[in-house]
Amino acid sequence: MATLSEIAQQYGPMPLDEADWLSEVVADWQIIADLSFADLVLWRKVDEGFVAIGHCRPSTGPTVHQEEVVGVRAAAGRIGHLETAFTERHVVVSREPRWDETYAVREEALPVVMRGRVIAVLTREASMAALRSSSRLEINYKGAADDLLSMITRGEFPVRTSVTGPRRGAPRVGDGVMRLDAQGIVTYASPNALSCFHRLGVTGSLLHRALPRVVTAMVSDRGQVDETLAMVTAGRAAWRTDVEANGAALSLRAIPVTDNGNRVGAVLLCRDVSDLRRRERELITKDATIREIHHRVKNNLQTVAALLRLQSRRVEAPEAREALSEAMRRVATIAMVHETLSGTLDEQVHFDDLVARAARMAADVASPGVQVKIVREGDFGMIPAQYASSLALILTELVTNAVEHGFEGREHGSITIFAERDGPELHARITDDGKGIAADPTGLGSQIVRTLVTNELHGQIEWHSVPGGSRVDLTVTVDGD
């Protein structure tokens, strides 16, 4: 999906600072649309008139435009007041409603100002089909929208310190709206906002009360208070914060209202996020539990490996000792995967780091007397945990086979591990400069590799003898879904 800057550039070059400013406007204009019960359309001036480069529909009322507006050029009858707003830098209200199909539309055109110059025009378009009674909620919502739109015409909105990025629990207009004066006194609180603060433990009406004092009294005796809380509840800063008391949690966001740089009030959005925060704490607890499980599995596997090592020292038969050593190496490889998982919250393994450690361990254990150089090319990327153990075992077995059979009787050798991702498929190639191997090896390690590749990773593997060594081609599926 194209960004607003990319859409605007389709109609001619636009300075980067203007494109950034308009992007910030549309990043936060859903609030204004919802408070206005109206559509917002952003227009860029072009040689032929004006073209729409942005559109926002309200979630609190019916939309005016059922079809896509972006890319549509303004009709000849609308260019006049758009031009007036752009050139004369003041709000233009249409004297007569505009008729779209079967309903009338009330329209206002406002200049979008940045550092004293007009860079675009914003229209607020409301359908007159759904007549609303002038309720107290509607009057205050539209009053708050007028305050923010007036800031746009003075170049004071968006507030540069405002947090507009995605965040879980971010409040919206429908969740609860409050209007504050310059001292943080509540001049209006929507019914949903009152419900939010009542769940927090606030009793009685909030009207004409200092919100910072009300909230601080609720949380001051419950441990450390977030230093941003007073600034947000007073409407002094365009920040976002959470407040918790009596088992409830609210997410608060303040938008200061300024007039030529002087703060005259604020719009405060609030949302009850008690259930959301409870679920987040449960997830954190579960994540910690999973990490602890991985840690304990790793410890248990390391204990098993240590027991196998002790047992191998007491066995005199070379074949039995070698079998125990191989079992110990395989257990240690799986333990390494769980060690990696215990250090992250994600059920994903950064496999490039893991394969470097596992390959080095396999080469050292397989033939301590041979100096093996391991070269890695390409990237394995992130591998889901359910595939990591199998893939690590496969690679260590292949490295071990290359060292044991390809470098037998030599003092040094080289192994290259290449990896390439193609969506859910992983293509790996392991080459060595040894004496080569059979095209269809039948040892236990090869049997383990075939079983894991076929049954666990739904892939295929091929061994090849090539000039100057051998090569193994591996293709497996490591889709996390």
Side-chain angles (χ1 to χ4, degrees), residues 340-383:
T340 303
L341 289 170
S342 68
T344 178
L345 290 175
D346 298 326
E347 282 294 290
Q348 300 265 337
V349 177
H350 194 282
F351 206 76
D352 293 281
D353 294 337
L354 180 62
V355 74
R357 295 166 54 198
R360 185 74 267 165
M361 179 190 71
D364 293 342
V365 172
S367 186
V370 180
Q371 295 182 359
V372 180
K373 178 183 178 182
I374 297 179
V375 179
R376 289 178 48 242
E377 298 177 352
D379 296 307
F380 285 89
M382 301 299 291
I383 302 295

Side-chain angles (χ1 to χ4, degrees), residues 80-349:
H81 66 267
L82 292 175
E83 185 68 36
T84 301
F86 189 89
T87 57
E88 299 183 12
R89 193 177 162 177
H90 65 75
V91 179
V92 179
V93 180
S94 299
R95 295 182 179 180
E96 298 292 335
R98 185 183 82 248
W99 283 89
D100 282 358
E101 298 179 354
T102 59
Y103 55 88
V105 177
R106 184 179 64 252
E107 180 176 300
E108 301 169 70
L110 307 96
V112 179
V113 177
M114 184 193 75
R115 292 196 288 271
R117 69 179 187 274
V118 180
I119 61 174
V121 175
L122 182 70
T123 56
R124 177 167 60 171
E125 306 174 24
S127 172
M128 300 180 66
L131 296 177
R132 294 177 176 272
S133 61
S134 297
S135 64
R136 189 160 176 258
L137 181 145
E138 182 179 3
I139 292 172
N140 277 279
Y141 273 30
K142 291 183 177 179
D146 290 341
D147 290 341
L148 299 180
L149 287 171
S150 296
M151 291 173 62
I152 290 179
T153 65
R154 295 190 295 269
E156 298 176 334
F157 186 92
V159 182
R160 302 311 295 263
T161 59
S162 181
V163 181
T164 59
R167 175 177 169 183
R168 289 173 61 82
R172 299 158 296 188
V173 169
D175 298 319
V177 176
M178 304 179 75
R179 298 181 72 185
L180 311 176
D181 65 12
Q183 286 72 45
I185 305 297
V186 179
T187 60
Y188 172 75
S190 70
N192 285 347
L194 287 174
S195 298
C196 287
F197 280 89
H198 288 166
R199 281 190 285 271
L200 200 67
V202 177
T203 57
S205 174
L206 287 172
L207 200 61
H208 308 308
R209 297 172 66 180
L211 189 62
R213 294 182 181 178
V214 172
V215 175
T216 302
M218 298 301 303
V219 300
S220 59
D221 59 343
R222 293 175 173 82
Q224 187 176 1
V225 178
D226 189 345
E227 61 182 9
T228 65
L229 184 59
M231 297 292 288
V232 172
T233 54
R236 295 179 179 274
W239 295 342
R240 197 181 294 167
T241 189
D242 285 356
V243 55
E244 296 189 27
N246 297 319
L250 299 186
S251 178
L252 306 176
R253 181 192 174 186
I255 306 175
V257 176
T258 58
D259 186 356
N260 293 310
N262 299 314
R263 188 172 57 83
V264 296
V267 176
L268 188 77
L269 305 179
C270 58
R271 179 184 179 186
D272 182 3
V273 292
S274 304
D275 189 55
L276 182 61
R277 295 293 176 261
R278 177 183 59 79
R279 293 181 182 180
E280 287 178 346
R281 283 191 288 268
E282 290 177 354
L283 287 175
I284 292 174
T285 301
K286 290 179 180 178
D287 285 337
T289 302
I290 291 172
R291 293 174 65 182
E292 178 62 21
I293 290 172
H294 284 304
H295 180 72
R296 293 188 181 187
V297 170
K298 182 263 297 183
N299 288 343
N300 291 338
L301 290 172
Q302 288 180 338
T303 301
V304 173
L307 292 173
L308 292 172
R309 186 181 301 109
L310 291 174
Q311 187 67 33
S312 67
R313 293 173 181 172
R314 301 174 62 89
V315 174
E316 297 181 358
E319 294 82 359
R321 182 176 298 175
E322 181 180 354
L324 289 172
S325 297
E326 290 182 356
M328 177 189 68
R329 172 179 51 76
R330 290 163 184 146
V331 171
T333 299
I334 301 174
M336 193 180 299
V337 173
H338 284 279
E339 180 182 15
T340 303
L341 289 170
S342 68
T344 178
L345 290 175
D346 298 326
E347 282 294 290
Q348 300 265 337
V349 177

